[in-house]
């Protein structure tokens, strides 16, 4: 087996760590998290006095089994999912869980440029599609006018009138 690159080795270690974390999380969920030493004291405090940030409406696609898991826990499954995401965010921000990427709320200049390019391309594509649809409608209208003129000519010829 060829030697792994540093990036591949780091990915393998991260995957192993993730698997261990998920195994431990499953055990915590099975036996209960309340009072667990695995949950930082600050998190327990957070549950008592949750922050109430402004909500943002979002369309999100999730794996069926993830949704089924949270729905099986009863009502307010979306709130529970939000809390899990918040916990992950806070662990990253607090440095409890780290990863290869830097967490930043402001896009870099490169990311902003890439995003703007995508938006401009989407606008150009929509404009092109609208123009093509308008041309299609115009050509349909021209065809109808030509068919009507032809049918009027045929009718006039059958009636013996000059077209």
């Amino acid at each position: 087996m060829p030697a792994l690159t540093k990036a591949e080795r780091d990915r393998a270690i991260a995957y192993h760590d993730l698997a261990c974390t998920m195994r431990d999380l499953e055990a915590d969920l099975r036996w209960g998290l309340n009072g667990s030493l695995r949950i930082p004291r600050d998190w327990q405090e957070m549950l008592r006095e949750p922050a109430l940030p402004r909500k943002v409406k979002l369309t999100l696609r999730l794996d069926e089994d993830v949704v089924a898991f949270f729905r099986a826990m009863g009502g307010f499954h979306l709130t529970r999912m939000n809390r899990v995401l918040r916990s992950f965010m806070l662990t990253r921000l607090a440095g409890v869980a780290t990863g290869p990427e830097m967490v930043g709320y402001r896009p870099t200049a490169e990311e902003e440029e890439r995003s703007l390019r995508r938006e401009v391309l989407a606008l150009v594509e929509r404009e092109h599609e609208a123009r093509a649809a308008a041309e299609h409608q115009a050509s349909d209208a021209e065809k109808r006018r030509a068919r009507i003129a032809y049918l009027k000519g045929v009718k006039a010829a059958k009636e013996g009138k000059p077209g």
Side-chain angles (χ1 to χ4, degrees):
M1 184 167 135
L4 297 176
T5 66
K6 182 177 180 339
E8 290 170 334
R9 189 173 49 254
D10 289 347
R11 251 192 313 273
I13 290 169
Y15 184 84
H16 175 75
D17 290 347
L18 174 63
C20 291
T21 301
M22 296 304 289
R23 184 194 62 225
D24 293 344
L25 178 60
E26 181 183 10
D28 287 342
L29 289 172
R30 185 178 306 119
W31 302 111
L33 295 171
N34 293 338
S36 170
L37 296 176
R38 297 173 63 82
I39 303 296
R41 193 167 300 154
D42 293 343
W43 288 17
Q44 299 292 339
E45 199 61 39
M46 193 173 70
L47 291 173
R48 284 186 216 105
E49 297 178 24
L52 298 173
R54 188 172 60 87
K55 301 293 184 189
V56 175
K57 185 172 177 135
L58 173 71
T59 300
L60 177 68
R61 293 186 173 278
L62 299 170
D63 296 334
E64 285 182 27
D65 57 341
V66 171
V67 174
F69 174 82
F70 280 94
R71 282 187 177 157
M73 292 177 164
F76 304 104
H77 65 283
L78 295 175
T79 302
R80 196 170 299 109
M81 291 168 125
N82 187 62
R83 285 185 180 163
V84 168
L85 290 170
R86 173 171 292 285
S87 297
F88 176 76
M89 177 190 75
L90 292 173
T91 60
R92 294 299 299 269
L93 292 174
V96 174
T98 59
E101 74 282 350
M102 293 299 295
V103 176
Y105 292 107
R106 285 196 181 144
T108 64
E110 182 181 280
E111 291 169 334
E112 190 171 7
E113 180 182 354
R114 192 176 317 123
S115 176
L116 286 170
R117 283 179 190 222
R118 275 192 219 118
E119 289 175 27
V120 168
L121 286 173
L123 288 171
V124 168
E125 186 176 340
R126 274 188 244 132
E127 185 179 304
H128 177 72
E129 288 171 356
R131 190 177 298 134
E135 288 173 3
H136 181 71
Q137 286 178 346
S139 67
D140 282 351
E142 289 175 25
K143 288 176 186 175
R144 279 196 194 101
R145 281 193 287 272
R147 268 188 262 143
I148 289 170
Y150 170 76
L151 291 172
K152 283 182 179 179
V154 170
K155 179 182 173 192
K158 296 289 182 190
E159 292 176 343
K161 299 179 185 175

